[in-house]
Amino acid sequence: MDARSWRAGCCCLLLLALVGSPRSEGMQSCEEVRKLFQGRLVGAVKGLPDSPRAGSDLQVCVSKKPTCCSRRMEERYQIAARQDMQQVLQTSSSTLKFLISRNAAAFQETLETLIRQAENYTSILFCNTYRNMALEATASVQELFTDVGLYLFGADINPDEFVNRFFDSLFPLVYNHLINPGVTDSSLEYSECIRMARRDVRPFGNIPKRVMGQMGRSLLPSRTFLQALNLGIEVINTTDHLHFSKECSKALLRMQYCPHCQGLILSKPCMGYCLNVVRGCLAHTAELNPHWHAYIRSLEELSDAMHGTYDIEHVLLNFHVLVNDAVMQAHLDGQKLSEQVSKICGRPIRTPTQSPRCSFDGSKEKHGMKISPRNDEETLANGRKEFINSLRLYRTFYGGLADELCVNELAAADGLPCWNGEDIVKSYTERVVGNGIKAQSGNPEVKVKGTDPVINQIIDKLKHVIQLLQGRSPKPDKWELQVGSGGGMVEQVSGDCDDEDGCGGSGSGEVKRTLKITDCLRLLPISCQDKQSSSEYS
């Protein structure tokens, strides 16, 4: 016999074994079924049949032929079928879940690094240019950027309020060291009066409002983007641990393990049969599909819009430029401000004191608190773009989930004998229904009733975050922002960025977001070397 004839003979024997094994005369022992059952369910179970028997006590795996299953085995198989389905669901979504969770963590880590870098820039400004007030400004600078981080990561605080607090606390320092300088210091009560007077005398012009506008436009989209990523992980975690209905559990049992009762331990369900069962079980999950699609599209739109004055990198890394402009403006208007403050707070009562200067603390560098240089490939914008490009491939994930499970995991390949819920056949002959709840009315394998409150809750959360994402995605031609605090000013911005928003034209010069960080900027705030500067005010 040649090799070709031998292979053909083996295929015929395998086909006969699959098709013929259900018959009682072909199954003399239940030994293989017992071994598989005990191995799958870990440990021995009493009352397992040694040989085929009548299955009158069975409720799902009912057959006219002798069976190797008992009622207790059927119950255990039903639990195993649900566990198997959850396992394939988790396997199917693992790549998507990893994609979102990895990028959410990376996005948050990058924001944290960016905040530290912006804080350093601001501290270095005081260290090098306004050294006499540097240590006194430390607490205000740290508090501001702590609040920036808290807000970005979900805290219920108002950016306008912490920006105002920063400029309120800055004014007494500028007044005491630049406008009305000396080797002595005013009392705490007088400094508090100056702080309270800041919003009336407006020493920094419109710069605080410009900062509030830029912070509002840039922080809120990043905060919303991060919240949306965390919700995406929650959606996947929810669908990975679905609670299957009784009808679904019975259908899964019939599809996965009822063949074992007839000794068909190697059989797989027919493709059409598998689709009907899994589409029925995942009918409510499929309802997520349009909302998931809209969620990814909204993430993409927001990500595309986060540039110019909506780019958090640009805003934070140029914050110190506006601070310098604010201090210089107050210094230039010093005589007028001195008169205004005197009318409100009177003349200061001074006590001799020495203003502490910025000092170098090398121990900070030893604890790994350096900020590394970043290049074009490491910017937030590029990271978001790569992430969105990958995420776009999963827009129809929930709409095609049942099909993916059957094609890749559960069903027999086309052309092979398969299980149809009752026997081994050449093909499945029942009507195959579509995805979603409405399509299940004619499902011959699973009855789908009512709604799933867990899925409905997830859909509501997706709808809410989609509204947030779309609300944070400005129109590219004309963007409007309601700026709080003070006058309720409406600020309009056309294009990416202009001088009015502090993006250029400043006397101190704009800092590019990919600026190489100097050695001094690698350290934490107020850890820079005590260097002389030609522009220092003493």
Side-chain angles (χ1 to χ4, degrees), residues 165-186:
R165 279 199 303 272
F166 172 78
F167 283 104
D168 287 346
S169 64
L170 180 62
F171 184 37
L173 302 183
V174 173
Y175 186 83
N176 289 332
H177 292 283
L178 298 184
I179 297 174
N180 201 349
V183 294
T184 57
D185 205 2
S186 61

Side-chain angles (χ1 to χ4, degrees), residues 11 73 84 96 184 206 309 312 361 392 401 416 435 498:
C11 291
M73 288 175 67
D84 289 349
L96 172 60
T184 57
N206 71 336
T309 55
I312 189 171
D361 183 3
R392 196 183 292 118
L401 183 56
L416 293 179
N435 287 292
D498 55 29

Side-chain angles (χ1 to χ4, degrees), residues 269-276 403 406-407 411-414 418 428 432:
C270 302
M271 180 61 71
Y273 175 49
C274 179
L275 289 174
N276 277 341
D403 301 55
C406 287
V407 171
D414 289 341
C418 54
Y428 182 69
V432 179

Side-chain angles (χ1 to χ4, degrees), residues 209-273:
K209 281 190 176 182
R210 284 169 57 188
V211 172
M212 284 187 282
Q214 291 186 17
M215 288 283 189
R217 282 193 297 269
S218 63
L219 298 186
L220 186 54
S222 293
R223 169 187 166 112
T224 305
F225 192 84
L226 186 58
Q227 288 175 335
L229 296 188
N230 289 326
L231 177 62
I233 298 170
E234 181 184 348
V235 171
I236 298 169
N237 283 336
T238 301
T239 56
D240 276 353
H241 300 88
L242 289 174
H243 175 73
F244 298 110
S245 67
K246 289 183 179 179
E247 286 291 333
C248 170
S249 296
K250 290 179 180 179
L252 291 173
L253 165 62
R254 187 178 296 110
M255 181 178 78
Q256 294 290 85
Y257 288 105
C258 283
H260 290 207
C261 298
Q262 298 183 31
L264 301 169
I265 57 177
L266 298 178
S267 69
K268 281 194 167 187
C270 302
M271 180 61 71
Y273 175 49

Side-chain angles (χ1 to χ4, degrees), residues 334-477:
Q335 184 174 353
K336 181 182 72 173
L337 292 173
S338 182
E339 294 173 356
Q340 289 177 307
V341 169
S342 295
K343 289 180 181 178
I344 298 172
C345 301
R347 297 292 177 181
I349 301 174
R350 298 185 176 278
T351 55
T353 184
Q354 180 65 43
S355 297
R357 287 177 173 263
C358 172
S359 60
F360 174 72
D361 183 3
S363 64
K364 299 291 181 83
E365 189 171 11
K366 297 177 183 178
H367 292 86
M369 301 303 288
K370 295 191 298 183
I371 297 178
S372 301
R374 303 169 64 223
N375 53 45
D376 288 339
E377 285 71 35
E378 293 174 332
T379 64
L380 274 172
N382 282 308
R384 286 195 310 266
K385 184 177 180 180
E386 291 177 8
F387 165 63
I388 293 296
N389 286 339
S390 299
L391 188 63
R392 196 183 292 118
L393 302 175
Y394 294 90
R395 285 177 295 186
T396 59
F397 175 76
Y398 285 106
L401 183 56
D403 301 55
E404 181 184 347
L405 297 183
C406 287
V407 171
N408 296 335
E409 300 284 345
L410 302 174
D414 289 341
L416 293 179
C418 54
W419 173 255
N420 70 350
E422 296 180 355
D423 209 339
I424 293 293
V425 295
K426 292 182 179 180
S427 63
Y428 182 69
T429 58
E430 295 287 345
R431 172 176 173 259
V432 179
V433 300
N435 287 292
I437 295 176
K438 292 182 179 180
Q440 304 311 308
S441 59
N443 194 323
E445 308 300 341
V446 186
K447 292 182 180 179
V448 179
K449 301 177 182 178
T451 59
D452 186 326
V454 175
I455 295 297
N456 288 344
Q457 185 180 31
I458 287 294
I459 288 176
D460 288 341
K461 288 184 177 182
L462 279 173
K463 287 180 178 178
H464 177 66
V465 83
I466 289 167
Q467 288 180 337
L468 289 178
L469 290 167
Q470 293 175 345
R472 308 304 172 227
S473 300
K475 303 299 181 184
D477 55 340

Side-chain angles (χ1 to χ4, degrees), residues 108-160:
Q108 178 165 334
E109 182 180 355
T110 305
L111 288 176
E112 290 170 348
T113 302
L114 180 62
I115 292 168
R116 291 197 302 270
Q117 187 174 346
E119 183 177 345
N120 273 354
Y121 281 150
T122 309
S123 296
I124 298 306
L125 168 69
F126 286 103
C127 231
N128 286 347
T129 309
Y130 308 108
R131 291 167 55 205
N132 281 352
M133 68 176 80
L135 282 182
E136 293 178 79
T138 300
S140 298
V141 172
Q142 290 178 344
E143 180 183 0
L144 173 73
F145 286 101
T146 296
D147 286 338
V148 168
L150 289 173
Y151 178 76
L152 281 173
F153 304 135
D156 186 18
I157 55 179
N158 189 326
D160 286 1

Side-chain angles (χ1 to χ4, degrees), residues 33-45 48 77:
V33 176
R34 286 165 55 92
K35 287 180 180 179
L36 194 63
F37 179 84
Q38 291 175 346
R40 171 65 181 83
L41 300 175
V42 187
V45 178
L48 299 184
Y77 271 142

